[in-house]
Amino acid sequence: QVQLVESGGGLVQAGESLRLSCAASGRTFSSYSVGWFRQAPGKEREILARLMKNGITYVVGSKKGRFTISGDNAKNTVYLQMNSLNSDDTAVYYCAAKETVVYWGDAYDYWGQGTQVTVSS
């Protein structure tokens, strides 16, 4: 079983950048496919990016060019780099993991507690 802890959220101004971290403990992250999600007040949770166990990365179309997902196996951490933030990016951001090589669904088995990102305009 793996435990996930997100960090790196905070209050930023529009146009600035943030890098969120998702640190794993209990198991090595290299055994999992990982996803980053967010949920804004009154809105459904949405997928942002995926890092597959086999190294393949995917960023949803609307976020390409602004968001990047990456992993550091030595640090057992997956990152979400977010650039050119705007008020629409205000949400709680979550990472999730599933012990599979490739996963395109939303039913991840393990979730972090989330980190708040607030973008002021």
Side-chain angles (χ1 to χ4, degrees):
Q1 189 168 348
V2 65
Q3 292 80 41
L4 308 177
V5 178
E6 303 95 336
S7 62
L11 174 63
V12 297
Q13 293 190 343
E16 294 184 340
S17 299
L18 277 176
R19 188 178 75 162
L20 304 183
S21 299
C22 175
S25 62
R27 292 284 302 277
T28 176
F29 237 157
S30 61
S31 300
Y32 295 85
S33 289
V34 178
W36 275 102
F37 294 78
R38 73 184 183 188
Q39 187 164 22
K43 295 186 178 181
E44 293 187 356
R45 185 180 65 197
E46 62 173 327
I47 180 70
L48 301 172
R50 306 180 192 269
L51 172 60
M52 307 301 183
K53 178 182 176 180
N54 63 5
I56 293 175
T57 61
Y58 167 80
V59 177
V60 297
S62 61
K63 307 298 182 287
K64 285 183 179 178
R66 291 201 303 129
F67 289 13
T68 304
I69 188 171
S70 62
D72 186 334
N73 286 337
K75 296 183 178 180
N76 223 21
T77 300
V78 173
Y79 303 99
L80 182 69
Q81 177 69 42
M82 306 186 295
N83 299 326
S84 301
L85 289 165
N86 59 65
S87 58
D88 290 338
D89 295 314
T90 295
V92 178
Y93 286 69
Y94 301 90
C95 64
K98 190 174 185 69
E99 195 169 8
T100 185
V101 175
V102 174
Y103 186 64
W104 294 103
D106 290 348
Y108 286 83
D109 296 319
Y110 305 100
W111 292 81
Q113 82 292 345
T115 184
Q116 176 71 46
V117 172
T118 303
V119 183
S120 64
S121 56

